[in-house]
Amino acid sequence: MIPGLPFVHAPDKPRILIVDDDVGTIRLLAQVVRELGDVRFATGGADALTAARTENPDLVLLDAEMEGMDGFETCAALRRLPGMEAVPILFVTSHTGVAVEIRALAAGAVDFITKPFHPHIVEARVRTHLALKQRTDALMRLATMDGLTGIANRRAFDGALAQETERLVQGGVGPLSLILADVDHFKRYNDFYGHQAGDDCLRAVAGALSGALRRPGEIAARFGGEEFAILLPGHDADAAIMAAERLRRAVAALCLAHVARPDGDLVTISAGAASLTSPGDAASLVAAADQALYRAKASGRNRVAMAG
């Protein structure tokens, strides 16, 4: 923490990352934008990359002239990070001219603030780009939401899985676990109660699964048909199996009647879990969870199994 900077965590507000090797400039910019978001800071390019990986900023104010890794290099590196493709990066620079602008735009900047900056100009531009980012995020949410259940769709899951496995490759926070869950005897449910009731069942199961998540970054998605995927960043194998059991209990607690099944009278799920503790590919994690799910179903359903 830089002395004199009143940074207060506000998880419901946009996250603004200020990157500058001059502490005085950080203080000035923080005072200007602190009412617009939750302000974080970094004093160099390497620190900025670390902060971006862990804090998921909604906007970056980036000094162009820093010692060592300058703003142009930092901007290009930020753009290559998973999840940073659509985050607005505004250059703060004392240099003007076409050549500088072309270089900054090529690195991935979206706007410029010239030094010495006027507080009202900074506030207006940050406010504008945060509003644009919020609209973009809203459109992305619509594009990545499953139309039936209201939770994340397969596209959103695939993107999140790719992002989290890339974090492991780049030395981010690990481990990473995945749970695949399947509604037991769902075809019998559809045949007996009808497809409308089947849709209602899937919505209820999706709500129970998403409602049982506890940590930021956890994602419940409809994987396909009656199958769901739950992505658990930071969970090792032990935590994953506990989470899978918690999800199984959450669905059982719905007490949805399923008299057409041969082994009970309530809707339940089977779940398979797998975990990565070191860099690995997404396909192998999905395959391992799928094999564990198969074992859970083959051993009697309404239970969980861990990839071994």
Side-chain angles (χ1 to χ4, degrees):
M1 174 71 72
I2 296 176
L5 289 181
F7 294 149
V8 179
H9 178 58
D12 58 327
K13 299 177 72 175
R15 290 179 172 176
I16 300 171
L17 175 62
I18 301 174
V19 186
D20 201 303
D21 58 1
D22 179 67
V23 173
T25 300
I26 290 178
R27 287 199 181 99
L28 290 174
L29 287 171
Q31 290 294 327
V32 172
V33 303
R34 64 179 181 174
E35 297 300 322
L36 302 179
D38 181 11
V39 180
R40 313 297 175 91
F41 63 86
T43 56
D47 289 341
L49 296 179
T50 300
R53 290 189 187 102
T54 58
E55 302 292 349
N56 300 314
D58 294 292
L59 181 141
V60 179
L61 290 170
L62 175 61
D63 181 30
E65 299 87 25
M66 296 187 294
E67 293 291 332
M69 190 176 183
D70 67 20
F72 301 98
E73 295 174 279
T74 302
C75 183
L78 286 170
R79 280 284 177 249
R80 291 191 293 269
L81 293 179
M84 287 295 295
E85 301 87 354
V87 174
I89 300 176
L90 283 64
F91 262 59
V92 182
T93 178
S94 58
H95 294 294
T96 58
V98 174
V100 172
E101 291 191 13
I102 291 174
R103 187 181 175 195
L105 292 171
V110 300
D111 205 347
F112 302 85
I113 295 172
T114 56
K115 295 179 181 179
F117 52 79
H118 192 288
H120 293 307
I121 297 296
V122 174
E123 181 182 356
R125 292 193 176 178
V126 169
R127 190 185 299 276
T128 295
H129 284 287
L130 284 176
L132 291 172
K133 176 66 163 49
Q134 289 171 347
R135 293 190 189 102
T136 300
D137 289 348
L139 290 173
M140 285 299 298
R141 282 192 293 272
L142 289 175
T144 55
M145 180 187 296
D146 178 61
L148 175 64
T149 63
I151 63 174
N153 61 15
R154 178 64 181 271
R155 176 184 176 183
F157 166 77
D158 288 343
L161 178 59
Q163 180 174 328
E164 292 301 333
T165 50
E166 181 64 21
R167 285 183 195 273
L168 283 180
V169 171
Q170 296 184 357
V173 177
L176 173 65
S177 291
L178 169 66
I179 298 169
L180 291 182
D182 189 86
V183 180
D184 294 324
H185 298 295
F186 185 71
K187 185 179 185 303
R188 290 174 181 265
Y189 188 98
N190 255 344
D191 291 344
F192 185 84
Y193 292 99
H195 289 284
Q196 182 59 57
D199 289 349
D200 292 340
C201 174
L202 291 178
R203 278 190 283 266
V205 170
L209 295 176
S210 60
L213 301 183
R214 294 180 175 177
R215 299 183 189 177
E218 297 178 349
I219 296 173
R222 189 178 179 198
F223 196 68
E226 68 273 19
E227 195 169 6
F228 297 87
I230 299 89
L231 194 60
L232 303 171
H235 284 62
D236 60 14
D238 290 339
I241 204 72
M242 291 176 61
E245 182 59 31
R246 184 173 70 249
L247 296 171
R248 188 197 63 78
R249 291 196 304 267
V251 173
L254 293 172
C255 295
L256 296 177
H258 187 352
V259 298
R261 64 183 296 169
D263 53 358
D265 56 6
L266 294 176
V267 170
T268 61
I269 61 169
S270 299
S275 184
L276 284 176
T277 56
S278 59
D281 64 277
S284 65
L285 182 63
V286 173
D290 191 52
Q291 290 172 3
L293 172 59
Y294 177 82
R295 289 203 307 275
K297 295 170 70 173
S299 59
R301 292 186 170 86
N302 188 25
R303 63 196 62 204
V304 302
M306 187 72 199

